Amino acid sequence: MTHKKHTYDSGIIGNCSYIAHVEKNSNVNWLCWPTFEDSFIFGSILDDEKGGEFSILPVKEITQSSQHYLENTNILCTTIESEDGSYKITDFAPRFEQYERYHKPLMLIRKIEPLSGHPKIRVTCTPKYDYGSHDFSKSRGSNHVQYEYDDQKIRLVTNMPTSHFFDDNAYLLNKPIYLILIFGNSFEASIERTAEDFLTKTTSYWQKWVKHASIPSFYQKVVIRSALALKLHQYEDTGAIIAASTTSLPEHPGSGRNWDYRFCWVRDSYYVLTALNHIGHFEEMEKYASYIANITQSDLGRLQPLYGIMGQSELEEKTLDYLKGYLGNQPIRIGNQASEHIQNDVYGQAMIALLPLFTDHRFRHQNMASAKEWTNFILNKIEMTIDEKDAGIWEFRNFENRHCYSNLFQWAGATAALKIAKQYGFKEMEEKAIVIREQARQHIESCYDAERGVYTNAAGSDDLDASTLQLIMMNYLDPKSEKARRHLEVLEKELKGEHGLFYRYVHKDDFGKPKSTFLVCAFWYVEALACVGRLEEAQDVFKQLLSFGNHLMLFSEDVDEQDGSQWGNFPQAYSHVGLMNAAYRIGVQLDNPTFFESLYE
C-alpha cells in the first residue's frame, strides 16, 4: 500500500560553525550551539514541547508557504501568506572575509519584510538547554532579550519592541524587522545597518565561492546546491566534515535505526575529498586532509571508524528517553557506539584520501621524511589487519565477517602506497606494498561466486552488497570487462529497487531486513553504469533520483522504495557527495561542447 510521501519540509543555513534547520512555517526546528556536537538549543524536530521554538507565525492560519535559496548562496528565504497578508523571512548565518580570515560568528540573523496586505505576526523564541531538559531564564533589555542558564548565555537583539516577547500581543508588520540571535556575546552595533551589511557580505561570499568552483554543465544547478550543502557540513576550525547535522531521524518508521550522525567518518573521507577535488575547492580539501592526517598520526592504536569534530575518540552512546522522538520514533541517541567497532577499510580510506598531499604537485608541501613516516604507519596498519574479520561498511553491531569492501580498500591503500613509494624512491616500501596488495587481492577473490558471476559481501557468504559496486568504480575490475558487466547485472537483479533506488543489502542484520534504500548506493549505481558504458541509463537513473530531493533539492540518507519518502538523518552530506560524484562521472564521459543541448537537462 502506498502512503503519503514523507519529506523533510525544511532547509538549512550555516557558516561552517553551525547549521540551523528552518521549516517552511518559519520555525527553527534544529540548531546545536556552540558546535555541531553540542546540545540543541532548538530541537522541536525531536520533541515539539521540550524542543523549544523560534518561529515567526501569522496570527491567522498560514494559507501558503514556500522556500527558496538566494541563487548560489546558503541564504534561505521563506514566504508566508495568511488572510491578513504576506511576508518574507530571510534567514542566514553570517560568513565573509574580514581581517584576512573568515568571520563566522555564532549568530543567526532573521530579516522579516511585509510583502502584501497588513500581516500580523507573533514571534516566539524559547531556547532550551541540555537536550530539552532545562529552560533558559528570560530577562528584558532595551533592545534585546537575554536568555541564561548556568553559564550559557544567548541574546536576541531586535528592532521590534521587546515587550512582544513578554506579552501575548500580535505585532503589525509594516516595515522590515530584524532578529539577531547570538550565542555568548553582547551586541552593541546598529541592528539594521549591521544585519544588512552582513547580508550583503554573506551573499557576496557564497556567490564568489560558487563562481570559483569548477562544475561541469551536467545538471549544474543541482550540483551547485549539493556543493553548497556539503560545504556547510565542514567544521572549519578543525576541517572535519560531519555526516549530518541531526541525530535520531529514523531510517524507516519503527525500525529502531536512529543514529547520531554529527561526527566525522574516516571511511567517507575518500568520497568527500574526491567530490571537493572535482569542483576544485582545495581549501576545504586541505583542511579536511589535515584533520584526517592529525587523527591518523595521533591515534597510534587501532583507527576508529569515526571521530568527533575536534578529533576526540570517546563518543559514548546514550539514549534520551524523555524526548518523544521524530514522529514518535525512539530511541533518541547521543553519541555513536560505532566508534568502538573494528572496521578495517579505514586504513585504506585514509591512505587514498590523503594521497594528493604526497603526490599532487599542487599540494606537495610535505617533506620526504613525513611522507615516508606516515605512509609506512598506515601500510603497517593494513598489514596487521588484512586477515581480520570486521564489522564492515554498514557497521553491523553483533557479527563480523571478512568483508569484500574492507579488503578492496586495503588493496587500494596498498596501491596508493606503491605510488608514493615509486615517486619518492622508497624501495623497501614498494616491495612491502606489492605483497600487501596481492594479499588483499586474494581476499577479494575469495568473495567471488563463479557460478553467479558476482562478488559477494564477504568470504564464505552468499549475500550481496551494494558496496561491491566500488570494485568497478575503483578499477579493481576493468569497467569494460565482461566480469564487471556481469557483476553489475547480478547486483541490479537483487538490490535494485524502483526508480533507480538501490538497497545496501537485503539480508537480515541486527535489526531485521532493511526497509528503505540507501541513497548514496543509488548514486554509486549511476557511477557504475557510466563506468561500464551504459551512459544513457546512467543519465536516466540520475534524473529519476533527483525526484527524491525535497523542495530545496536537499537529500536525506534513506528513501522508501514504495512511496519515495525521505527518511534517515537530513540532509545527509554523503548523499550530496554521491550526487556530485555521479554527475561528475557522467559529465566527463559525455564531454559535450558547451553549445550542445543535452536531452537530460
Side-chain angles (χ1 to χ4, degrees), residues 482-496:
E482 180 56 37
K483 204 170 189 181
R485 284 194 289 271
R486 176 65 184 157
H487 176 63
L488 179 54
E489 285 167 9
V490 178
L491 288 179
E492 280 178 304
K493 196 172 177 183
E494 184 160 320
L495 301 179
K496 184 183 173 187

Side-chain angles (χ1 to χ4, degrees), residues 357-521:
L357 288 187
F358 304 108
T359 58
D360 188 318
H361 290 278
R362 293 166 295 182
F363 293 104
R364 282 186 60 187
H365 51 74
Q366 306 279 343
N367 60 41
M368 189 182 284
S370 70
K372 187 174 187 177
E373 181 186 7
W374 184 83
T375 309
N376 263 327
F377 169 74
I378 297 290
L379 200 56
N380 286 338
K381 295 288 185 190
I382 295 174
E383 184 180 41
M384 274 171 47
T385 59
I386 199 160
D387 297 322
E388 282 186 353
K389 293 180 176 182
D390 69 1
I393 176 175
W394 307 125
E395 299 175 347
F396 299 124
R397 295 202 162 198
N398 294 313
F399 50 86
E400 293 183 332
N401 283 305
R402 206 170 63 233
H403 289 97
C404 184
Y405 182 88
S406 297
N407 292 133
L408 173 65
F409 273 90
Q410 289 163 336
W411 172 86
T415 304
L418 190 57
K419 183 173 182 178
I420 293 168
K422 284 181 173 176
Q423 189 161 314
Y424 288 92
F426 301 148
K427 197 68 189 160
E428 197 178 315
M429 184 192 293
E430 185 180 333
E431 291 166 4
K432 187 178 195 174
I434 289 169
V435 171
I436 292 171
R437 186 167 74 161
E438 178 55 25
Q439 278 180 280
R441 191 194 68 79
Q442 287 176 15
H443 284 321
I444 294 168
E445 290 307 313
S446 72
C447 300
Y448 186 61
D449 181 338
E451 196 175 315
R452 289 190 289 168
V454 70
Y455 287 81
T456 62
N457 73 325
S461 169
D462 293 328
D463 296 326
L464 301 186
D465 189 318
S467 67
T468 61
L469 288 165
Q470 296 287 338
L471 293 165
I472 300 168
M473 293 150 61
M474 295 180 70
N475 272 52
Y476 175 85
L477 293 176
D478 176 358
K480 305 304 178 194
S481 69
E482 180 56 37
K483 204 170 189 181
R485 284 194 289 271
R486 176 65 184 157
H487 176 63
L488 179 54
E489 285 167 9
V490 178
L491 288 179
E492 280 178 304
K493 196 172 177 183
E494 184 160 320
L495 301 179
K496 184 183 173 187
E498 295 289 323
H499 314 297
L501 293 167
F502 226 80
Y503 287 91
R504 288 177 284 182
Y505 48 85
V506 292
H507 57 272
K508 279 189 178 180
D509 62 14
D510 318 274
F511 293 84
K513 283 192 174 186
K515 290 182 178 174
S516 52
T517 68
F518 208 61
L519 196 52
V520 75
C521 295

Side-chain angles (χ1 to χ4, degrees), residues 571-592:
Q572 178 79 350
Y574 305 136
S575 294
H576 291 275
V577 165
L579 183 154
M580 291 166 70
N581 287 337
Y584 180 84
R585 184 88 70 165
I586 293 171
V588 166
Q589 298 262 22
L590 288 171
D591 197 23
N592 289 321

Side-chain angles (χ1 to χ4, degrees), residues 23 32 47 67 109 181 216 227 262 306 453 474 479 526 541 548 587:
E23 289 182 281
C32 296
D47 193 309
Q67 285 183 318
I109 299 181
L181 193 71
R262 298 171 298 159
L306 65 150
M474 295 180 70
V526 170
V541 172
F548 302 113

